């Protein structure tokens, strides 16, 4: 039996490549640049498995250019870069990497929350610019974190992990989501379910943990920023388009809110120029899951999905049920 073939669109951690190579003849784009659909199709010729990153747009047109591909293993928990219905109707599995990046992303959300409230970005720039000439009692004053109200938008795995960390800071935790979680989970997270208006009005920190879908696109816009406290902070480690960036920049400039910590942007890797001009915005280059251990685990899960497929099994973290899935 010839070994199945796989194409990895960009460099991923070696742990995943080694795992994949045990079963597949795997080619990796070692240039580590985003390939065009035509380039991907060229490399994916004869490949049953395509390992993609969130920077790859996998739509029906690309899948039509890659008729041999039967599984798209996206190395991310979010898969808004993949047109899942298009894959499903073409008999192609789509898999993601849930679970393994929950804690790491929650850590980063907290890092952003604290850094934003205590103005760490500005403070660091201040020192590096040679402007630190002595301690000042009014220098770089921020907001307290402990004892405040944290509003979590999207109470899945990551939202819950963020809530649990709030205990150490003796915070009140509110959450909103399309569905209320069980009483046991609410109790475990010490979180209270509220509607959107209450969350916006009562939170000192609003942290976003929803997937990008039509319902969550621009979940925070001008109306919402105006409804928030002028002392409140927004943290986004989910997907950029959940926030209307132009409205956010206006809110930051106008003092409708106190600050924002962003790990994701509407049009990555571009950052809205008005946000770049806001000192009270702390901006990171989408590093939510960027720990060595987590990225290894994400790459390994993607490989495991491809391997399960090659064995005729259901990919363990598939997100679809392909029409007439071809084994
Ligand atoms: C994801 O997995 O969706 C993150 O955005 C990157 O790890």
């Amino acid at each position: 039996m010839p070994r199945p073939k796989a194409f990895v669109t960009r460099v991923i951690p070696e742990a995943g490549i080694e795992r994949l190579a045990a079963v597949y003849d795997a080619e990796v784009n070692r240039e580590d640049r985003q390939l065009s659909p035509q380039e991907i199709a060229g490399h994916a010729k004869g490949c049953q498995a395509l390992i993609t990153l969130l920077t790859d747009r996998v739509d029906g047109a690309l899948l039509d250019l890659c008729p041999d591909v039967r599984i798209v293993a996206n190395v991310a928990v979010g898969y808004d870069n993949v047109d899942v219905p298009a894959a499903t109707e073409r008999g192609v599995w789509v898999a993601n990497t849930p679970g393994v990046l929950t804690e790491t992303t929650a850590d980063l959300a907290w890092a952003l929350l604290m850094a934003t409230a205590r103005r760490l970005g500005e403070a660091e720039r201040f020192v590096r610019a040679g402007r630190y000439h002595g301690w000042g009692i009014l220098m770089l004053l921020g907001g307290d974190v402990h004892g405040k109200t944290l509003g979590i938008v999207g109470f899945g795995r990551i939202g819950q992990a963020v809530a649990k960390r709030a205990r150490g800071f003796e915070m009140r935790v509110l959450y909103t989501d399309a569905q209320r979680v069980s009483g046991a989970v609410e109790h475990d997270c010490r979180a209270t379910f509220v509607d959107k208006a209450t969350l916006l009005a009562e939170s000192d920190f609003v942290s976003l943990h929803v997937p990008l879908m039509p319902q969550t696109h621009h979940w925070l816009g001008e109306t919402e920023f105006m409804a928030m406290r002028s002392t409140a902070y927004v943290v986004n480690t989910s997907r950029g388009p959940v926030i209307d960036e132009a409205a956010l920049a206006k809110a930051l400039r106008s003092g409708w809110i106190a600050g924002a910590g962003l790990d994701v942007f509407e049009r990555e890797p571009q950052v809205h120029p008005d946000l770049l001009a806001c000192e009270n915005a702390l901006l990171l280059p989408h590093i939510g899951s960027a720990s060595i251990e987590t990225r290894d685990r994400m790459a390994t899960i993607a490989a495991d999905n491809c391997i399960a497929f090659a064995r005729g099994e259901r990919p363990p973290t598939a997100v679809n049920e392909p029409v007439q899935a071809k084994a």
Side-chain angles (χ1 to χ4, degrees):
M1 270 278 276
R3 278 157 56 89
K5 290 170 76 177
F7 179 57
V8 185
T9 61
R10 257 175 110 161
V11 173
I12 61 169
E14 258 339 286
I17 296 172
E18 278 170 23
R19 180 81 66 111
L20 192 65
V23 173
Y24 280 82
D25 281 343
E27 186 198 345
V28 182
N29 167 28
R30 296 270 173 197
E31 284 179 60
D32 195 22
R33 70 173 169 91
Q34 199 174 334
L35 299 179
S36 69
Q38 288 69 24
E39 288 174 307
I40 293 178
H43 288 282
K45 209 168 173 352
C47 290
Q48 293 77 44
L50 189 61
I51 298 208
T52 54
L53 299 183
L54 54 82
T55 42
D56 298 308
R57 174 88 205 122
V58 183
D59 53 16
L62 176 66
L63 293 171
D64 288 341
L65 289 172
C66 307
D68 302 310
V69 167
R70 294 286 165 263
I71 175 165
V72 173
N74 205 41
V75 191
V77 66
Y79 48 89
D80 46 283
N81 60 308
V82 182
D83 183 341
V84 178
T88 303
E89 70 196 28
R90 286 166 177 76
V92 176
W93 290 100
V94 177
N96 68 342
T97 63
V100 293
L101 48 77
T102 302
E103 303 299 332
T104 304
T105 306
D107 287 348
L108 197 275
W110 265 91
L112 258 182
L113 187 157
M114 296 183 70
T116 305
R118 298 300 300 275
R119 302 173 60 183
L120 299 195
E122 284 172 79
E124 219 250 357
R125 288 193 290 278
F126 181 81
V127 173
R128 285 186 189 273
R131 293 170 56 207
Y132 179 38
H133 303 303
W135 185 85
I137 199 157
L138 297 179
M139 193 172 79
L140 288 161
L141 302 184
D144 269 333
V145 174
H146 65 273
K148 295 286 181 75
T149 297
L150 170 61
I152 298 180
V153 181
F155 214 56
R157 292 185 196 88
I158 299 174
Q160 291 173 28
V162 168
K164 286 178 184 162
R165 282 159 175 73
R167 267 185 222 158
F169 290 82
E170 300 188 347
M171 294 175 91
R172 171 183 178 229
V173 179
L174 307 176
Y175 79 93
T176 196
D177 206 331
Q179 275 179 341
R180 192 169 172 173
V181 297
S182 70
V185 172
E186 286 184 355
H187 182 261
D188 199 29
C189 298
R190 297 189 204 168
T192 305
F193 179 74
V194 292
D195 60 18
K196 180 174 180 175
T198 307
L199 183 128
L200 293 175
E202 296 191 10
S203 297
D204 299 299
F205 296 91
V206 173
S207 192
L208 300 173
H209 302 285
V210 283
L212 177 61
M213 311 183 280
Q215 304 90 300
T216 59
H217 183 262
H218 284 189
W219 196 91
L220 282 179
E222 209 166 301
T223 313
E224 286 78 15
F225 291 124
M226 289 182 85
M228 288 174 65
R229 298 177 169 192
S230 59
T231 49
Y233 299 88
V234 167
V235 170
N236 191 9
T237 52
S238 62
R239 285 291 183 264
V242 175
I243 294 182
D244 176 345
E245 278 181 0
L248 173 60
K250 190 170 174 186
L252 291 169
R253 265 198 322 264
S254 315
W256 297 346
I257 62 170
L262 307 175
D263 185 42
V264 287
F265 302 97
E266 261 196 279
R267 278 170 281 277
E268 289 178 19
Q270 288 165 41
V271 179
H272 196 296
D274 293 353
L275 283 178
L276 288 171
C278 290
E279 276 291 315
N280 51 350
L282 200 147
L283 312 172
L284 302 181
H286 204 149
I287 55 168
S289 64
S291 74
I292 295 164
E293 300 92 327
T294 290
R295 289 283 163 85
D296 276 356
R297 284 193 291 263
M298 290 166 68
T300 305
I301 289 198
D304 285 346
N305 277 303
C306 297
I307 291 169
F309 164 77
R311 293 188 176 135
E313 297 160 13
R314 181 190 163 79
T317 59
V319 299
N320 68 341
E321 288 297 334
V323 172
Q324 300 165 343
K326 299 165 198 163

